[in-house]
Amino acid sequence: MHLIWLEDFIELARTRSFSRAAENRFVTHPAFGRRIKALEQWVGAELVVRTHPVSLTAAGQLFLDAATHSTDVLYAARAQLQDGSGAAEKTLRVATGRTLARTFFPDWYESINQRFGPFPVSVSTGGAQEVILRLGAGDADLLVIYSSPTTRLLIDPMRYESLTLAREILLPVVAADAKGRPRFKLAPANAATPTPWLGFSQSLTLRGVLAKHLAGLPKKVSLRMVYEADSYESIHEMARRGVGVAWLPQRLVQEDVNERRLLVIGEPEMRVNFDISLYRVRGNDDALVNAIWDGVASDAIDRF
């Protein structure tokens, strides 16, 4: 059983609506429903009556009291341990994507360490919705994420503020053949044989960024999906093996491009520009978080 399930159930009991509760918990409606179902399976009883509005069963009403009490006790204990005398040095909690944790965060963390002195940091990674939820639930102080129309829809600007930390580029890359030439070229829209394509699953932030860019190109390309994954690293590896063309973040593929294991193909308009953004909850009163935020803000490309 996960604490997040209890928080989901409490929110559902408060809103009496799966769609509103899912929105407030920064998760899709189907995923939210699966988590409530998983909680019911763990409890061994139905907790809600799926009507409009949602109502609680007798077991659900009883369990709501237990869930509310349990979460209150756990968060109170955490606050006491974090704020009590003799507490450990403040740890900065950062939520980010798995690829960013590898390609961007180490350099960024080193730069802020040099500016603000050494301090402990805890990094948690996951998909976009997952890490956004951690920030909203108070389980992360800062969020570093690829910026996209999807993330901007999920993150309420009235509750969160953001800084643009860096620009990034999605590069169309393919493996080199034995003669050092691209194994594939981007086929035009009317081509008889489409280019094999390694695509992003729906859970990846950059799926929408790439789809919008390709749709807006004056010269369309013909692509055939041969592989799809919810991991940029997995797609990267398949591109290196010569399975197809992939659009991948420059920081992820730069070493392979430098060593010519991967080749950038297509005209410059095939490359996709996007941002790496930093988010926090508005009104955060933590001294370390505020010091880092104010320091980073002076160098930020954009601020919202």
Side-chain angles (χ1 to χ4, degrees):
M1 199 278 294
H2 301 282
L3 177 60
I4 195 172
W5 295 352
L6 298 181
E7 295 171 332
D8 289 342
F9 177 63
I10 293 169
E11 184 63 21
L12 179 60
R14 187 185 71 83
T15 61
R16 305 286 169 159
S17 165
F18 272 88
S19 58
R20 284 183 58 200
E23 181 180 355
N24 292 345
R25 296 289 290 160
F26 301 103
V27 67
T28 63
H29 190 167
F32 184 85
R34 288 193 296 271
R35 292 191 337 202
I36 295 298
K37 190 65 178 178
L39 178 63
E40 290 179 317
Q41 291 173 349
W42 182 84
V43 172
E46 289 190 359
L47 301 176
V48 299
V49 180
R50 289 161 171 78
T51 54
H52 299 286
V54 170
S55 60
L56 299 183
T57 65
Q61 191 61 58
L62 180 64
F63 189 74
L64 176 61
D65 293 338
T68 303
H69 177 72
S70 297
T71 54
D72 287 347
V73 168
L74 287 171
Y75 282 118
R78 185 179 72 170
Q80 184 177 3
L81 291 171
Q82 291 178 345
D83 300 334
S85 59
E89 181 182 2
K90 164 68 180 180
T91 297
L92 183 71
R93 300 167 301 161
V94 180
T96 189
R98 299 179 186 91
T99 301
L100 281 166
R102 172 187 167 192
T103 62
F104 175 78
F105 184 80
D107 286 341
W108 184 72
Y109 173 67
E110 185 176 316
S111 70
I112 61 176
N113 243 270
Q114 291 173 349
R115 294 176 64 177
F116 304 106
F119 54 86
V121 64
S122 173
V123 177
S124 59
T125 65
Q129 290 187 350
E130 184 180 357
V131 294
I132 291 170
L133 180 59
R134 288 176 192 161
L135 180 65
D139 294 327
D141 302 308
L142 297 173
L143 171 68
V144 179
I145 196 170
Y146 291 135
S147 184
S148 74
T150 301
T151 58
R152 287 190 285 273
L153 283 173
L154 290 172
I155 303 177
D156 182 1
M158 298 299 292
R159 185 180 181 193
Y160 304 98
E161 57 185 325
S162 68
L163 304 170
T164 301
L165 297 178
R167 306 293 191 201
E168 180 62 290
I169 306 172
L170 277 177
L171 297 176
V173 294
V174 297
D177 63 17
K179 296 183 179 180
R181 299 173 301 194
R183 289 198 182 187
F184 305 103
K185 294 182 179 180
L186 292 173
N190 59 356
T193 305
T195 303
W197 176 34
L198 314 176
F200 303 144
S201 296
Q202 290 187 354
S203 61
L204 291 183
T205 303
L206 298 180
R207 177 186 173 110
V209 174
L210 177 60
K212 181 180 179 181
H213 184 82
L214 292 178
L217 289 174
K219 294 182 180 180
K220 301 296 190 291
V221 293
S222 180
L223 302 170
R224 178 174 63 91
M225 180 84 74
V226 296
Y227 182 79
E228 182 180 270
D230 62 358
S231 160
Y232 300 115
E233 284 77 7
S234 176
I235 295 169
H236 178 202
E237 180 60 28
M238 296 301 277
R240 291 179 61 177
R241 291 171 182 256
V243 177
V245 60
W247 273 262
L248 288 167
Q250 184 174 12
R251 285 177 172 83
L252 180 61
V253 300
Q254 190 61 62
E255 183 177 343
D256 283 317
V257 171
N258 291 344
E259 299 294 330
R260 296 191 60 80
R261 290 185 292 267
L262 289 174
L263 306 177
V264 180
I265 61 172
E267 300 299 322
E269 58 265 26
M270 292 296 170
R271 304 173 188 184
V272 188
N273 297 303
F274 62 100
D275 297 331
I276 298 172
S277 297
L278 180 70
Y279 286 87
R280 72 165 178 178
V281 176
R282 292 186 183 276
N284 190 306
D285 59 0
D286 183 274
L288 176 60
V289 175
N290 286 335
I292 291 172
W293 187 271
D294 292 342
V296 170
S298 63
D299 302 325
I301 299 171
D302 292 309
R303 181 171 186 167
F304 301 99

